[in-house]
mmCIF file of all heavy atoms in Angstrom:
data_model
loop_
_atom_site.group_PDB
_atom_site.id
_atom_site.type_symbol
_atom_site.label_atom_id
_atom_site.label_comp_id
_atom_site.label_asym_id
_atom_site.label_seq_id
_atom_site.Cartn_x
_atom_site.Cartn_y
_atom_site.Cartn_z
ATOM 1 N N GLU I 1128 6.608 -17.695 -29.055
ATOM 2 C CA GLU I 1128 6.364 -19.100 -29.836
ATOM 3 C C GLU I 1128 4.812 -19.424 -29.896
ATOM 4 O O GLU I 1128 4.414 -19.845 -30.917
ATOM 5 C CB GLU I 1128 7.158 -20.152 -29.234
ATOM 6 C CG GLU I 1128 8.718 -19.948 -29.429
ATOM 7 C CD GLU I 1128 9.461 -20.955 -28.615
ATOM 8 O OE1 GLU I 1128 9.207 -21.270 -27.485
ATOM 9 O OE2 GLU I 1128 10.528 -21.500 -29.165
ATOM 10 N N ILE I 1130 2.299 -17.373 -29.742
ATOM 11 C CA ILE I 1130 1.601 -16.421 -30.563
ATOM 12 C C ILE I 1130 1.954 -16.766 -32.017
ATOM 13 O O ILE I 1130 1.126 -16.747 -32.905
ATOM 14 C CB ILE I 1130 2.170 -14.838 -30.293
ATOM 15 C CG1 ILE I 1130 1.528 -14.463 -28.910
ATOM 16 C CG2 ILE I 1130 1.644 -14.027 -31.320
ATOM 17 C CD1 ILE I 1130 2.240 -13.204 -28.339
ATOM 18 N N ASP I 1148 -15.501 -24.121 -39.427
ATOM 19 C CA ASP I 1148 -16.706 -24.374 -40.143
ATOM 20 C C ASP I 1148 -17.787 -23.685 -39.335
ATOM 21 O O ASP I 1148 -17.688 -22.890 -38.519
ATOM 22 C CB ASP I 1148 -16.829 -26.006 -40.145
ATOM 23 C CG ASP I 1148 -16.994 -26.520 -38.965
ATOM 24 O OD1 ASP I 1148 -17.116 -25.940 -37.839
ATOM 25 O OD2 ASP I 1148 -17.023 -27.852 -38.955
ATOM 26 N N GLU I 1149 -19.060 -24.032 -39.764
ATOM 27 C CA GLU I 1149 -20.273 -23.506 -39.282
ATOM 28 C C GLU I 1149 -20.375 -23.745 -37.766
ATOM 29 O O GLU I 1149 -20.839 -22.925 -36.950
ATOM 30 C CB GLU I 1149 -21.496 -23.909 -39.998
ATOM 31 C CG GLU I 1149 -22.733 -23.162 -39.602
ATOM 32 C CD GLU I 1149 -23.965 -23.619 -40.385
ATOM 33 O OE1 GLU I 1149 -23.850 -24.123 -41.582
ATOM 34 O OE2 GLU I 1149 -25.082 -23.531 -39.824
ATOM 35 N N LYS I 1161 -21.033 -14.222 -24.535
ATOM 36 C CA LYS I 1161 -20.635 -14.529 -23.242
ATOM 37 C C LYS I 1161 -19.656 -13.593 -22.642
ATOM 38 O O LYS I 1161 -19.637 -13.233 -21.509
ATOM 39 C CB LYS I 1161 -20.309 -16.026 -23.007
ATOM 40 C CG LYS I 1161 -21.193 -17.096 -23.338
ATOM 41 C CD LYS I 1161 -22.213 -17.341 -22.374
ATOM 42 C CE LYS I 1161 -23.031 -18.612 -22.887
ATOM 43 N NZ LYS I 1161 -24.247 -18.693 -22.133
ATOM 44 N N GLU I 1167 -20.106 -6.911 -19.064
ATOM 45 C CA GLU I 1167 -21.171 -6.019 -18.604
ATOM 46 C C GLU I 1167 -21.483 -6.170 -17.103
ATOM 47 O O GLU I 1167 -21.554 -5.253 -16.321
ATOM 48 C CB GLU I 1167 -22.385 -6.398 -19.345
ATOM 49 C CG GLU I 1167 -23.731 -5.748 -18.919
ATOM 50 C CD GLU I 1167 -24.912 -6.319 -19.708
ATOM 51 O OE1 GLU I 1167 -24.834 -6.493 -21.005
ATOM 52 O OE2 GLU I 1167 -25.861 -6.830 -19.013
ATOM 53 N N MET I 1169 -19.254 -7.302 -14.755
ATOM 54 C CA MET I 1169 -17.978 -6.778 -14.140
ATOM 55 C C MET I 1169 -18.129 -5.371 -13.996
ATOM 56 O O MET I 1169 -17.802 -4.793 -12.928
ATOM 57 C CB MET I 1169 -16.796 -7.218 -14.856
ATOM 58 C CG MET I 1169 -16.556 -8.632 -14.998
ATOM 59 S SD MET I 1169 -16.045 -9.424 -13.480
ATOM 60 C CE MET I 1169 -14.371 -9.981 -13.904
ATOM 61 N N CYS I 1178 -10.476 -2.848 -10.460
ATOM 62 C CA CYS I 1178 -9.096 -3.351 -11.121
ATOM 63 C C CYS I 1178 -8.220 -2.376 -11.641
ATOM 64 O O CYS I 1178 -7.087 -2.192 -11.429
ATOM 65 C CB CYS I 1178 -9.395 -4.516 -12.264
ATOM 66 S SG CYS I 1178 -9.905 -5.945 -11.637
ATOM 67 N N CYS I 1181 -6.786 -0.187 -8.924
ATOM 68 C CA CYS I 1181 -5.783 -0.918 -7.972
ATOM 69 C C CYS I 1181 -4.376 -0.647 -8.374
ATOM 70 O O CYS I 1181 -3.689 -0.208 -7.485
ATOM 71 C CB CYS I 1181 -6.187 -2.413 -7.973
ATOM 72 S SG CYS I 1181 -5.039 -3.365 -7.034
ATOM 73 N N GLY I 1182 -4.115 -0.816 -9.690
ATOM 74 C CA GLY I 1182 -2.661 -0.694 -10.085
ATOM 75 C C GLY I 1182 -1.723 -1.740 -9.676
ATOM 76 O O GLY I 1182 -0.596 -1.687 -10.014
ATOM 77 N N MET I 1184 0.026 -5.005 -10.050
ATOM 78 C CA MET I 1184 0.317 -5.803 -11.293
ATOM 79 C C MET I 1184 0.503 -7.101 -11.082
ATOM 80 O O MET I 1184 0.781 -7.955 -11.851
ATOM 81 C CB MET I 1184 1.495 -5.094 -12.028
ATOM 82 C CG MET I 1184 1.458 -3.846 -12.715
ATOM 83 S SD MET I 1184 0.462 -3.703 -14.114
ATOM 84 C CE MET I 1184 -1.121 -4.288 -13.909
ATOM 85 N N GLU I 1193 2.586 -16.338 -19.818
ATOM 86 C CA GLU I 1193 3.267 -17.765 -20.242
ATOM 87 C C GLU I 1193 2.386 -18.831 -19.814
ATOM 88 O O GLU I 1193 2.602 -19.984 -20.238
ATOM 89 C CB GLU I 1193 4.646 -17.742 -19.294
ATOM 90 C CG GLU I 1193 5.634 -16.822 -19.665
ATOM 91 C CD GLU I 1193 6.131 -16.815 -21.130
ATOM 92 O OE1 GLU I 1193 6.064 -17.926 -21.836
ATOM 93 O OE2 GLU I 1193 6.579 -15.699 -21.666
ATOM 94 N N THR I 1199 -5.958 -20.825 -26.957
ATOM 95 C CA THR I 1199 -6.735 -19.514 -26.576
ATOM 96 C C THR I 1199 -6.286 -18.304 -27.383
ATOM 97 O O THR I 1199 -6.981 -17.556 -27.786
ATOM 98 C CB THR I 1199 -6.408 -19.209 -25.097
ATOM 99 O OG1 THR I 1199 -6.743 -20.399 -24.206
ATOM 100 C CG2 THR I 1199 -7.197 -18.060 -24.547
ATOM 101 N N LEU I 1206 -11.606 -14.721 -33.467
ATOM 102 C CA LEU I 1206 -12.440 -13.674 -33.212
ATOM 103 C C LEU I 1206 -12.085 -12.370 -33.715
ATOM 104 O O LEU I 1206 -12.739 -11.287 -33.440
ATOM 105 C CB LEU I 1206 -12.496 -13.497 -31.572
ATOM 106 C CG LEU I 1206 -13.167 -14.625 -30.817
ATOM 107 C CD1 LEU I 1206 -12.966 -14.606 -29.306
ATOM 108 C CD2 LEU I 1206 -14.648 -14.700 -31.155
ATOM 109 N N GLN I 1211 -1.442 -8.629 -29.988
ATOM 110 C CA GLN I 1211 -0.196 -7.852 -29.754
ATOM 111 C C GLN I 1211 0.973 -8.754 -29.381
ATOM 112 O O GLN I 1211 0.789 -9.607 -28.567
ATOM 113 C CB GLN I 1211 -0.404 -6.664 -28.921
ATOM 114 C CG GLN I 1211 -0.692 -7.022 -27.408
ATOM 115 C CD GLN I 1211 -1.024 -5.745 -26.659
ATOM 116 O OE1 GLN I 1211 -1.735 -4.878 -27.028
ATOM 117 N NE2 GLN I 1211 -0.263 -5.522 -25.582
ATOM 118 N N THR I 1224 -2.924 -3.551 -21.914
ATOM 119 C CA THR I 1224 -2.747 -2.236 -22.496
ATOM 120 C C THR I 1224 -3.289 -1.084 -21.465
ATOM 121 O O THR I 1224 -3.833 -1.496 -20.478
ATOM 122 C CB THR I 1224 -3.588 -1.940 -23.796
ATOM 123 O OG1 THR I 1224 -4.943 -1.931 -23.573
ATOM 124 C CG2 THR I 1224 -3.329 -3.037 -24.848
ATOM 125 N N GLU I 1225 -3.077 0.068 -21.855
ATOM 126 C CA GLU I 1225 -3.551 1.137 -20.936
ATOM 127 C C GLU I 1225 -5.140 1.096 -20.776
ATOM 128 O O GLU I 1225 -5.665 1.484 -19.712
ATOM 129 C CB GLU I 1225 -3.294 2.580 -21.578
ATOM 130 C CG GLU I 1225 -1.763 2.754 -21.615
ATOM 131 C CD GLU I 1225 -1.080 3.123 -20.372
ATOM 132 O OE1 GLU I 1225 -1.838 3.368 -19.282
ATOM 133 O OE2 GLU I 1225 0.094 3.056 -20.306
ATOM 134 N N ARG I 1226 -5.785 0.410 -21.623
ATOM 135 C CA ARG I 1226 -7.260 0.326 -21.584
ATOM 136 C C ARG I 1226 -7.820 -1.069 -21.112
ATOM 137 O O ARG I 1226 -8.906 -1.461 -21.192
ATOM 138 C CB ARG I 1226 -7.830 0.566 -23.051
ATOM 139 C CG ARG I 1226 -7.672 2.043 -23.356
ATOM 140 C CD ARG I 1226 -8.501 2.379 -24.613
ATOM 141 N NE ARG I 1226 -8.631 1.391 -25.662
ATOM 142 C CZ ARG I 1226 -7.705 1.469 -26.650
ATOM 143 N NH1 ARG I 1226 -6.914 2.216 -26.974
ATOM 144 N NH2 ARG I 1226 -7.942 0.276 -27.555
ATOM 145 N N GLU I 1234 -7.472 -16.397 -20.664
ATOM 146 C CA GLU I 1234 -7.283 -17.752 -20.000
ATOM 147 C C GLU I 1234 -8.172 -17.910 -18.900
ATOM 148 O O GLU I 1234 -8.708 -16.850 -18.315
ATOM 149 C CB GLU I 1234 -5.910 -17.912 -19.498
ATOM 150 C CG GLU I 1234 -4.956 -18.562 -20.449
ATOM 151 C CD GLU I 1234 -5.379 -19.834 -21.143
ATOM 152 O OE1 GLU I 1234 -5.985 -20.797 -20.481
ATOM 153 O OE2 GLU I 1234 -5.183 -20.072 -22.315
ATOM 154 N N ILE I 1235 -8.605 -18.967 -18.403
ATOM 155 C CA ILE I 1235 -9.530 -19.278 -17.320
ATOM 156 C C ILE I 1235 -8.952 -18.529 -16.040
ATOM 157 O O ILE I 1235 -9.799 -17.861 -15.475
ATOM 158 C CB ILE I 1235 -9.593 -20.773 -16.908
ATOM 159 C CG1 ILE I 1235 -10.048 -21.567 -18.200
ATOM 160 C CG2 ILE I 1235 -10.412 -21.047 -15.720
ATOM 161 C CD1 ILE I 1235 -11.350 -21.163 -18.638
ATOM 162 N N ILE I 1236 -7.779 -18.478 -15.811
ATOM 163 C CA ILE I 1236 -7.104 -17.770 -14.668
ATOM 164 C C ILE I 1236 -7.537 -16.248 -14.758
ATOM 165 O O ILE I 1236 -7.819 -15.624 -13.679
ATOM 166 C CB ILE I 1236 -5.679 -18.050 -14.414
ATOM 167 C CG1 ILE I 1236 -5.267 -17.457 -12.947
ATOM 168 C CG2 ILE I 1236 -4.866 -17.415 -15.484
ATOM 169 C CD1 ILE I 1236 -3.920 -17.991 -12.480
ATOM 170 N N CYS I 1237 -7.523 -15.730 -15.899
ATOM 171 C CA CYS I 1237 -7.811 -14.301 -16.072
ATOM 172 C C CYS I 1237 -9.280 -13.926 -15.834
ATOM 173 O O CYS I 1237 -9.567 -12.906 -15.289
ATOM 174 C CB CYS I 1237 -7.245 -13.837 -17.478
ATOM 175 S SG CYS I 1237 -5.554 -14.071 -17.751
ATOM 176 N N ARG I 1255 -21.862 -13.679 -6.493
ATOM 177 C CA ARG I 1255 -22.590 -14.811 -7.268
ATOM 178 C C ARG I 1255 -22.805 -14.474 -8.646
ATOM 179 O O ARG I 1255 -22.634 -15.380 -9.489
ATOM 180 C CB ARG I 1255 -23.860 -15.223 -6.446
ATOM 181 C CG ARG I 1255 -23.693 -15.938 -5.302
ATOM 182 C CD ARG I 1255 -25.060 -16.394 -4.774
ATOM 183 N NE ARG I 1255 -24.977 -16.959 -3.450
ATOM 184 C CZ ARG I 1255 -25.725 -16.600 -2.350
ATOM 185 N NH1 ARG I 1255 -26.616 -15.681 -2.528
ATOM 186 N NH2 ARG I 1255 -25.440 -17.209 -1.180
ATOM 187 N N VAL I 1257 -21.255 -12.334 -10.694
ATOM 188 C CA VAL I 1257 -19.907 -12.317 -11.371
ATOM 189 C C VAL I 1257 -19.564 -13.720 -11.570
ATOM 190 O O VAL I 1257 -19.221 -13.977 -12.801
ATOM 191 C CB VAL I 1257 -18.911 -11.441 -10.609
ATOM 192 C CG1 VAL I 1257 -17.594 -11.665 -11.162
ATOM 193 C CG2 VAL I 1257 -19.328 -10.024 -10.642
ATOM 194 N N PHE I 1269 -13.771 -23.372 -22.683
ATOM 195 C CA PHE I 1269 -13.260 -24.738 -22.552
ATOM 196 C C PHE I 1269 -13.703 -25.632 -23.640
ATOM 197 O O PHE I 1269 -12.908 -26.432 -24.305
ATOM 198 C CB PHE I 1269 -13.498 -25.419 -21.062
ATOM 199 C CG PHE I 1269 -13.098 -26.711 -20.947
ATOM 200 C CD1 PHE I 1269 -11.683 -27.061 -20.772
ATOM 201 C CD2 PHE I 1269 -14.035 -27.727 -21.032
ATOM 202 C CE1 PHE I 1269 -11.257 -28.297 -20.555
ATOM 203 C CE2 PHE I 1269 -13.483 -29.160 -20.937
ATOM 204 C CZ PHE I 1269 -12.187 -29.331 -20.684
ATOM 205 N N LEU I 1271 -15.059 -25.039 -26.567
ATOM 206 C CA LEU I 1271 -14.473 -24.498 -27.834
ATOM 207 C C LEU I 1271 -13.116 -24.932 -27.993
ATOM 208 O O LEU I 1271 -12.667 -25.481 -29.074
ATOM 209 C CB LEU I 1271 -14.688 -23.005 -27.933
ATOM 210 C CG LEU I 1271 -14.129 -22.438 -29.262
ATOM 211 C CD1 LEU I 1271 -14.741 -22.947 -30.437
ATOM 212 C CD2 LEU I 1271 -14.305 -20.872 -29.177
ATOM 213 N N GLU I 1274 -12.803 -28.583 -28.685
ATOM 214 C CA GLU I 1274 -13.212 -29.007 -29.982
ATOM 215 C C GLU I 1274 -12.050 -28.608 -31.035
ATOM 216 O O GLU I 1274 -11.804 -29.517 -32.001
ATOM 217 C CB GLU I 1274 -14.563 -28.356 -30.360
ATOM 218 C CG GLU I 1274 -15.037 -28.668 -31.723
ATOM 219 C CD GLU I 1274 -15.358 -30.237 -31.992
ATOM 220 O OE1 GLU I 1274 -15.685 -30.862 -30.928
ATOM 221 O OE2 GLU I 1274 -15.300 -30.659 -33.035
ATOM 222 N N LYS I 1277 -9.304 -31.140 -30.851
ATOM 223 C CA LYS I 1277 -9.577 -32.286 -31.364
ATOM 224 C C LYS I 1277 -9.516 -32.344 -32.864
ATOM 225 O O LYS I 1277 -8.910 -33.196 -33.549
ATOM 226 C CB LYS I 1277 -11.150 -32.684 -30.969
ATOM 227 C CG LYS I 1277 -11.567 -34.070 -31.412
ATOM 228 C CD LYS I 1277 -12.769 -34.460 -30.916
ATOM 229 C CE LYS I 1277 -13.910 -33.506 -31.157
ATOM 230 N NZ LYS I 1277 -15.272 -34.035 -30.679
#
Side-chain angles (χ1 to χ4, degrees):
E1128 292 170 317
I1130 292 169
D1148 62 9
E1149 188 175 332
K1161 301 281 186 197
E1167 175 186 310
M1169 297 285 240
C1178 287
C1181 176
M1184 292 286 55
E1193 297 300 335
T1199 304
L1206 291 170
Q1211 65 186 51
T1224 70
E1225 298 286 346
R1226 294 188 321 263
E1234 271 312 316
I1235 302 297
I1236 190 169
C1237 301
R1255 279 189 193 128
V1257 167
F1269 175 77
L1271 178 58
E1274 182 61 28
K1277 184 169 62 175

